[in-house]
Amino acid sequence: MEKTIEMSTRNRTGIDMSPVDSQTMIDTAEKTPPSSSGDESALAALDSTYIREAEPVGSVPVPGTLKGLAEATLNKLGGRNPEVFIDKLGERLAFERTGTRLYDYLITKCEATNAESKISIDTLKRFRREEAQHFKLVAKTLESLGADPTAQTPGADVSAVASSGVLKVLSDPRTSVPQSLEAILTAELVDNAGWELLSKLAGEMGLSDLETDFRSALAEEAQHVMQIRQWYEQGALAEVGAAS
Ligand SMILES: [Fe+2]
Ligand SMILES: [Fe+2]
């Protein structure tokens, strides 16, 4: 794996780069009173007003078709609210779709930097394939519930915002393979928790076939986390000299 962290005088971000100026800045700050009175409680009070008045982030669309399998499945739920389940399925759907893109970026980065000696591209391609399969599994599940897999659920919306930073790290040409691995690890950890939750929800709702499918997806996701974490640790240990 390429060397990613180096020392350089080009980095002048720290205060130690200019001791005289930094002391002047500290002295001035200590002598200058705050520009206004009060503390952070006024800001918190304003935030609270916005929070109480805000509309929720979207809603779950009403299922478009309630025929055949969808009707049978929903009847099986026995009066339970399917909205949470559909919201979480929509969230997983969006996440798995992004997951395939994350692996596309990582595979290209590994190939471009000749990282194959430390990281198996074949394994990354398998993980990418599995993310795509999980996407299809969730889409099929939503259809079986009469829900529209093309609809954006609130959970999908929020998780897209949360994971947007991961996508930025992976798609940045300057980031290294270890940095990309760390970003993808954060996504995989959340993904794991997401599949665990979906499995529990399916079990809770008496959808045992779905629970079995979700548990096998979870088993694959557990392998993703384990492997990515191992490469992430090995990369840092090798750079620090511990593994040489
Ligand atoms: Fe996934
Ligand atoms: Fe994964």
Side-chain angles (χ1 to χ4, degrees), residues 92 95-96 99 103 127 130-131 134 187-188 191-192 195 221 224:
R92 220 56 280 113
F95 206 94
E96 296 301 304
Y103 277 103
F127 290 175
E130 287 169 350
E131 303 294 358
H134 297 167
E188 286 290 13
D191 208 15
N192 246 255
W195 280 104
E221 293 294 355
H224 298 184

Side-chain angles (χ1 to χ4, degrees), residues 77-240:
L77 300 183
R80 289 177 200 232
N81 295 328
E83 295 92 325
V84 175
F85 193 44
I86 290 173
D87 181 37
K88 288 292 164 196
L89 285 167
E91 180 181 319
R92 220 56 280 113
L93 183 85
F95 206 94
E96 296 301 304
R97 185 177 50 221
T98 304
T100 62
R101 299 290 167 254
L102 295 180
Y103 277 103
D104 282 337
Y105 282 122
L106 185 56
I107 289 163
T108 305
K109 192 151 280 180
C110 287
E111 286 173 342
T113 55
N114 298 316
E116 289 99 323
S117 60
K118 297 277 162 69
I119 289 174
S120 162
I121 304 285
D122 283 346
T123 303
L124 288 180
K125 286 183 176 167
R126 174 164 64 84
F127 290 175
R128 190 230 180 259
R129 236 181 1 258
E130 287 169 350
E131 303 294 358
Q133 284 163 359
H134 297 167
F135 166 79
K136 286 184 187 156
L137 168 65
V138 180
K140 201 177 77 187
T141 305
L142 279 162
E143 279 168 356
S144 77
L145 293 167
D148 182 354
T150 66
Q152 169 106 321
T153 70
D157 198 331
V158 172
S159 87
V161 174
S163 60
S164 60
V166 175
L167 203 56
K168 283 181 191 163
V169 171
L170 266 294
S171 62
D172 189 329
R174 300 168 304 164
T175 55
S176 64
V177 169
Q179 287 162 344
S180 301
L181 284 170
E182 182 165 338
I184 222 165
L185 180 60
T186 65
E188 286 290 13
L189 287 166
V190 171
D191 208 15
N192 246 255
W195 280 104
E196 178 84 53
L197 178 66
L198 272 190
S199 304
K200 282 182 181 165
L201 284 174
E204 182 64 30
M205 298 178 107
L207 305 169
S208 52
D209 288 352
L210 272 186
E211 188 187 1
T212 306
D213 288 346
F214 291 171
R215 291 245 170 243
S216 65
L218 175 61
E220 288 171 347
E221 293 294 355
Q223 280 184 24
H224 298 184
V225 169
M226 207 174 66
Q227 184 60 78
I228 295 291
R229 191 174 196 154
Q230 199 178 51
W231 284 329
Y232 156 75
E233 286 177 2
Q234 278 169 354
L237 286 168
E239 264 203 76
V240 92

